[in-house]
Amino acid sequence: MTQDGAEIAPGSSKSERSYTAIKARILEGSFTPGYRLVLAKIAADLGFSVVPVREAIRRLEAEGLVTFKRNVGATVSGIDPTEYLYTMQTLSIVEGAATALSAPLIDSVATARARAVNAHMRECLEHFDPVRFTALNQDFHSILFEHCPNPHILDLVHRGWNRLATLRSSTFRFVPGRAKESVLEHEALLQLIEAAADADTIERAARQHRIATLDAYLAHAPALTD
């Protein structure tokens, strides 16, 4: 484990360990968009030479998390509003469908689990931690769509969440005001499921919930790009 808590396999190479550590700091927000990645400093922090760190940076560049700028060097990439837009639009559709298909299969135990997670999210609002809030948010939605009987739709949902993780770990870091609204919408969604609302109503609510976060982000997008 690195100093920032990133999990590293015991037998992994220095390049792999550098990659894991740097990526963790980008995704958790320690290295923010535009942050200059000084290879010598990172290498010293990790206790490695510059070579494995350079290899890790190149790998992160290929993933779109790092950008090389002339006369500047490696910097953390800004969020691409267009990519975020496409990802969230797609996820709103497939996750909405997955949630609607799952709804008849979600029992009282599952709704209790989801409500408990949402309660933790509500507590998180007091001393806001966007990374923890985002992790809890994924846990909440996973409970609602994990019973989806269509494996193809479920696969698309997981792909969407994975894509969001590469874009940035927490949208709520940039639009913290959206977090409180999200918690309220979660409760409304649970109530629809418990009331056995029709599939169209549940799908529409789940889709609009996702789109509301997208709209909040896009309203701030000009200030978040490179």
Side-chain angles (χ1 to χ4, degrees), residues 22 26 31-39 42 53-54 56-81 83 163 166-168 224-226:
I22 298 168
I26 292 174
F31 291 169
T32 56
Y35 182 89
R36 188 177 174 218
L37 299 168
V38 180
L39 272 62
I42 294 174
V53 173
R54 182 181 294 113
I57 294 294
R58 286 173 178 166
R59 184 173 167 187
L60 290 165
E61 181 190 17
E63 294 181 4
L65 290 175
V66 169
T67 302
F68 274 95
K69 296 181 179 180
R70 181 176 296 180
N71 300 323
V72 176
T75 61
V76 176
S77 299
I79 299 175
D80 185 335
E83 284 299 312
R163 179 58 184 155
T166 64
L167 288 172
R168 194 66 67 237
L224 301 173
T225 54
D226 286 336

Side-chain angles (χ1 to χ4, degrees), residues 185-196:
E185 290 166 12
H186 285 175
E187 177 58 32
L189 192 52
L190 283 174
Q191 290 178 11
L192 287 175
I193 292 172
E194 290 173 326

Side-chain angles (χ1 to χ4, degrees), residues 14-35:
K14 290 182 178 179
S15 176
E16 183 68 26
R17 293 165 68 187
S18 299
Y19 165 82
T20 300
I22 298 168
K23 184 172 184 177
R25 292 175 187 177
I26 292 174
L27 295 182
E28 73 176 10
S30 296
F31 291 169
T32 56
Y35 182 89

Side-chain angles (χ1 to χ4, degrees), residues 103-135:
L105 305 174
I106 298 175
D107 58 20
S108 59
V109 174
T111 55
R113 282 171 53 212
R115 190 162 274 118
V117 172
N118 205 39
H120 287 309
M121 295 178 73
R122 188 177 294 107
E123 293 170 1
C124 194
L125 295 174
E126 297 180 15
H127 303 285
F128 193 55
D129 179 347
V131 175
R132 174 167 166 72
F133 189 89
T134 296

Side-chain angles (χ1 to χ4, degrees), residues 44-217:
D45 289 343
L46 296 175
F48 300 150
S49 70
V50 171
V51 175
V53 173
R54 182 181 294 113
E55 292 173 353
I57 294 294
R58 286 173 178 166
R59 184 173 167 187
L60 290 165
E61 181 190 17
E63 294 181 4
L65 290 175
V66 169
T67 302
F68 274 95
K69 296 181 179 180
R70 181 176 296 180
N71 300 323
V72 176
T75 61
V76 176
S77 299
I79 299 175
D80 185 335
T82 302
E83 284 299 312
Y84 185 77
L85 168 66
Y86 293 156
T87 300
M88 287 290 278
Q89 285 179 335
T90 301
L91 189 56
S92 72
I93 295 170
V94 295
E95 188 178 345
T99 301
L101 289 171
S102 292
L105 305 174
I106 298 175
D107 58 20
S108 59
V109 174
T111 55
R113 282 171 53 212
R115 190 162 274 118
V117 172
N118 205 39
H120 287 309
M121 295 178 73
R122 188 177 294 107
E123 293 170 1
C124 194
L125 295 174
E126 297 180 15
H127 303 285
F128 193 55
D129 179 347
V131 175
R132 174 167 166 72
F133 189 89
T134 296
L136 289 168
N137 185 55
Q138 183 167 1
D139 289 344
F140 175 87
H141 286 287
S142 294
I143 294 170
L144 300 193
F145 64 64
E146 67 183 3
H147 297 290
C148 178
N150 187 320
H152 297 287
I153 292 178
L154 195 56
D155 178 62
L156 290 173
V157 174
H158 287 304
R159 286 172 182 266
W161 277 97
N162 289 338
R163 179 58 184 155
L164 284 181
T166 64
L167 288 172
R168 194 66 67 237
S169 64
S170 178
T171 303
F172 297 104
R173 180 185 301 280
F174 306 108
V175 285
R178 171 65 190 144
K180 183 177 180 179
E181 297 172 357
S182 185
V183 170
L184 295 174
E185 290 166 12
H186 285 175
E187 177 58 32
L189 192 52
L190 283 174
Q191 290 178 11
L192 287 175
I193 292 172
E194 290 173 326
D198 62 87
D200 286 344
T201 299
I202 292 174
E203 181 173 357
R204 193 180 311 115
R207 184 170 66 248
Q208 185 53 45
H209 171 65
R210 182 67 55 200
I211 290 298
T213 299
L214 170 62
D215 289 344
Y217 168 79

